């Protein structure tokens, strides 16, 4: 019922260590936004400037955004995971790998200097490496779309993430979609007014993978 191609994450030992030129650094660090995505992987304007200066390719995803700001979308290291290959009542809404790297070396030292004038820049120096996977599958039923499963799992090391990628792919490969959809549809009806969105997402994820829907590592 669900056909897709599988892409593996491309991991590199990235170092965001090269500082910006003095004139660019002054403008960027004193004027650009420095709000840090506390739970996710969206990069602010300052982080984007350092990533690009250190030759790290970023994606702009207009379907993935924070705080209701659909006009900006999200900027980050976003890589495809499962890409659907044919039409079906099952829909892969999104499926991707995400990465975040801390600033280090001379780049971090440069930010620290400007933090004397703008203390909130210390947010950027408080982040650590993390990676994650994000998968959302929906189902079209009677002219309506129903959620089937959605997971966002974060990791502090790539090895653990790769093991979980294999785990998820193996379960999807052998899934009895007819039984799962039947169970999910019954649950969606019975829980609509009795459980909140996170509780519902957890149940569906436990049904599929035996693990909660959201396993998030704080950015700060």
């Amino acid at each position: 019922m669900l056909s897709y191609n599988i892409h593996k994450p491309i991991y590199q030992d990235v170092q965001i260590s090269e500082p910006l030129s003095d004139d660019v650094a002054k403008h960027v660090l004193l004027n650009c936004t420095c709000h840090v995505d506390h739970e996710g992987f969206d990069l602010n304007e300052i982080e984007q400037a350092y990533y690009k200066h250190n030759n790290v390719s970023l994606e702009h995803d207009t379907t993935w955004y924070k705080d209701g700001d659909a006009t900006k979308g999200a900027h980050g290291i976003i890589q495809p995971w499962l890409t659907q290959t044919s039409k079906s009542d099952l829909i892969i809404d999104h499926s991707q790998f995400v990465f975040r790297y801390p600033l280090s070396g001379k780049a971090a030292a440069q930010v620290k200097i400007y933090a004397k004038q703008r203390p909130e820049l210390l947010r950027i120096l408080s982040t650590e490496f993390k990676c994650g996977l994000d998968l959302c599958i929906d189902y079209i039923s009677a002219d309506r779309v129903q959620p089937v499963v959605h997971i966002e799992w974060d990791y502090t090391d790539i090895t653990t993430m790769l093991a979980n990628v294999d785990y998820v792919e193996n379960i999807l490969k052998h899934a009895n979609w007819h039984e799962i959809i039947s169970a999910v549809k019954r649950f969606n009806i019975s829980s609509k007014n009795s459980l909140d969105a996170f509780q519902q997402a957890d149940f569906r994820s436990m049904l599929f993978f035996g693990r909660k829907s959201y396993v998030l590592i704080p950015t700060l």
Side-chain angles (χ1 to χ4, degrees):
M1 294 181 68
L2 185 62
S3 300
Y4 50 84
N5 289 326
I6 297 175
H7 308 269
K8 294 300 183 182
I10 301 172
Y11 170 72
Q12 296 175 314
D13 185 17
V14 172
Q15 300 293 320
I16 313 294
S17 58
E18 288 297 317
L20 304 173
S21 63
D22 291 341
D23 56 335
V24 172
K26 183 177 181 179
H27 171 75
V28 168
L29 293 172
L30 294 182
N31 296 282
C32 291
T33 58
C34 67
H35 168 77
V36 169
D37 186 351
H38 281 220
E39 293 83 31
F41 295 82
D42 188 17
L43 301 176
N44 62 45
E45 292 174 341
I46 295 174
E47 290 171 319
Q48 291 175 48
Y50 277 99
Y51 274 57
K52 291 175 182 177
H53 184 66
N54 283 265
N55 299 313
V56 176
S57 297
L58 301 178
E59 298 294 328
H60 178 211
D61 190 334
T62 57
T63 67
W64 174 42
Y65 50 86
K66 290 287 183 179
D67 304 323
D69 192 353
T71 60
K72 291 184 178 180
H75 298 80
I77 302 176
I78 307 168
Q79 300 174 4
W81 181 10
L82 309 178
T83 54
Q84 193 159 356
T85 56
S86 61
K87 290 185 178 181
S88 166
D89 289 341
L90 285 165
I91 306 169
I92 297 178
D93 179 76
H94 61 269
S95 178
Q96 57 205 13
F97 304 109
V98 284
F99 297 86
R100 172 185 279 276
Y101 297 88
L103 269 62
S104 61
K106 293 181 179 179
Q110 187 177 59
V111 173
K112 193 171 184 179
I113 291 172
Y114 280 89
K116 296 175 183 178
Q117 302 178 62
R118 193 182 180 190
E120 59 267 33
L121 290 172
L122 293 175
R123 296 170 183 155
I124 296 172
L125 300 183
S126 301
T127 65
E128 298 181 355
F129 171 80
K130 66 176 181 176
C131 54
L133 56 85
D134 184 359
L135 170 66
C136 180
I137 300 175
D138 296 326
Y139 177 70
I140 301 175
S141 174
D143 296 326
R144 292 178 60 86
V145 173
Q146 295 195 39
V148 174
V149 69
H150 181 203
I151 55 174
E152 292 184 13
W153 297 348
D154 293 353
Y155 307 88
T156 57
D157 67 279
I158 187 67
T159 301
T160 305
M161 187 180 84
L162 290 174
N164 279 264
V165 168
D166 290 341
Y167 172 72
V168 170
E169 291 175 359
N170 186 59
I171 288 177
L172 294 177
K173 180 179 179 180
H174 297 98
N176 185 325
W177 289 106
H178 292 289
E179 289 187 3
I180 290 171
I181 290 170
S182 178
V184 167
K185 287 171 68 176
R186 291 195 303 270
F187 169 74
N188 288 347
I189 293 172
S190 65
S191 65
K192 186 173 183 179
N193 298 315
S194 59
L195 298 176
D196 66 32
F198 291 103
Q199 292 172 319
Q200 292 180 41
D202 281 344
F203 179 91
R204 290 187 289 262
S205 182
M206 292 294 293
L207 178 66
F208 253 93
F209 305 117
R211 193 177 184 189
K212 287 187 175 182
S213 177
Y214 297 95
V215 183
L216 306 180
I217 295 175
T219 303
L220 298 178

